[in-house]
Amino acid sequence: MTNIQSLVDFIKKLINEHRLKLYTSSVFCVSILKLIDKSATSLIFDLLINAPTLKTLQNNKNVKESLKLLVNLGLVEKKGLNIFLNSVFKNSLLTGVCEINRDIFFEKSKLKNIQKITENNEILEILKFITTKQTTKKHFCVFEILLYGKLIDKTGDITNIGFEFLLKSRNEQIWSLIILGLMKFTLSVDDQIDTLISLLELSFKKPNVTYKILNR
């Protein structure tokens, strides 16, 4: 299972209209290369210049899992005997690779930069809260997210789903919380997609620098 399985499941459930909106974003298309493993990334670059047959790919054990991931993400499509990248994703990816300015939702603020963060224990505090109901920090809406995802019950006790969550990799835990937050606090699928893209845009920004939201 991939470390971004929650994201994969989220995208897999989108109808074509919303999925195409996501793939129209060059920020998302470039970001996905950072999120998937090297094998899947290599397959995407191969598909940029080649259109192999399904049989050829299936005979390669190293490619089989990567192809399955790209299929679940809706990034590839079969035409005749050959496999192609989704055309919308392909165009956005090529555009995104050439982009220098990715200020869509945020731009650098004139405010003084924030204090440098030396260590981030936020996820550890959340895990501690799930298991012990105790924490030294108050996290914005975390209880609501955990309750919505059925990781804890109304009394704050951990559930079976919560135990399964603890067994996931750190990356998958973070993505699970992000997707649960999107589902809990947004009003529409369009809002979910915009929020997801805005979060991915932040991954291209410099750490410990303040940014302001652009008027859109």
Side-chain angles (χ1 to χ4, degrees):
M1 182 176 289
T2 173
N3 283 332
I4 57 168
Q5 190 61 45
S6 294
L7 177 62
V8 174
D9 292 340
F10 169 76
I11 295 173
K12 194 175 179 181
K13 293 176 182 177
L14 295 175
I15 62 174
N16 286 337
E17 176 187 351
H18 292 132
R19 188 178 290 185
L20 287 177
K21 178 181 179 180
L22 192 60
Y23 295 164
T24 302
S25 166
S26 58
V27 169
F28 170 81
C29 295
V30 173
S31 296
I32 204 71
L33 297 181
K34 300 193 298 180
L35 298 174
I36 58 180
D37 58 34
K38 291 182 179 179
S39 177
T41 301
S42 297
L43 179 56
I44 286 178
F45 281 112
D46 287 342
L47 291 172
L48 282 173
I49 55 177
N50 298 309
T53 63
L54 180 60
K55 185 176 181 180
T56 300
L57 293 178
Q58 288 179 330
N59 288 337
N60 189 329
K61 293 182 179 179
N62 295 327
V63 173
K64 198 170 183 180
E65 284 301 313
S66 297
L67 179 61
K68 182 179 178 181
L69 172 61
L70 299 189
V71 169
N72 287 334
L73 287 170
L75 300 183
V76 294
E77 49 195 37
K78 186 173 180 289
K79 296 179 181 178
L81 298 176
N82 299 90
I83 302 297
F84 296 83
L85 277 180
N86 175 281
S87 58
V88 176
F89 170 80
K90 180 179 179 179
N91 291 335
S92 296
L93 176 61
L94 292 174
T95 299
V97 170
C98 299
E99 282 179 338
I100 298 176
N101 179 14
R102 294 193 174 94
D103 293 342
I104 300 173
F105 290 92
F106 305 97
E107 67 177 357
K108 192 172 181 180
S109 170
K110 294 181 180 179
L111 295 176
K112 184 179 179 181
N113 292 345
I114 61 176
Q115 184 178 359
K116 186 175 181 180
I117 299 173
T118 56
E119 186 176 3
N120 184 0
N121 288 323
E122 301 300 316
I123 184 64
L124 296 179
E125 285 293 330
I126 293 174
L127 297 178
K128 178 183 176 182
F129 177 74
I130 293 174
T131 54
T132 67
K133 295 197 287 188
Q134 297 177 351
T135 180
T136 57
K137 298 180 181 180
K138 288 186 177 181
H139 299 84
F140 177 70
C141 294
V142 166
F143 182 85
E144 289 83 354
I145 292 174
L146 299 179
L147 190 61
Y148 176 80
K150 299 181 180 179
L151 278 67
I152 58 175
D153 59 25
K154 292 181 179 180
T155 64
D157 291 326
I158 188 171
T159 62
N160 289 336
I161 295 176
F163 278 116
E164 293 174 3
F165 174 82
L166 295 177
L167 297 176
K168 294 180 179 180
S169 69
R170 185 59 47 79
N171 282 346
E172 177 55 15
Q173 288 173 343
I174 293 172
W175 271 109
S176 294
L177 294 174
I178 289 173
I179 297 301
L180 286 173
L182 291 179
M183 302 294 288
K184 171 65 178 175
F185 295 112
T186 53
L187 299 177
S188 67
V189 178
D190 284 322
D191 287 343
Q192 291 171 5
I193 292 173
D194 285 341
T195 304
L196 175 60
I197 293 172
S198 70
L199 290 173
L200 293 173
E201 182 185 330
L202 285 175
S203 70
F204 291 98
K205 306 300 185 185
K206 294 180 180 180
N208 308 306
V209 175
T210 57
Y211 292 90
K212 65 179 181 180
I213 299 175
L214 287 168
N215 294 323
R216 303 176 71 241

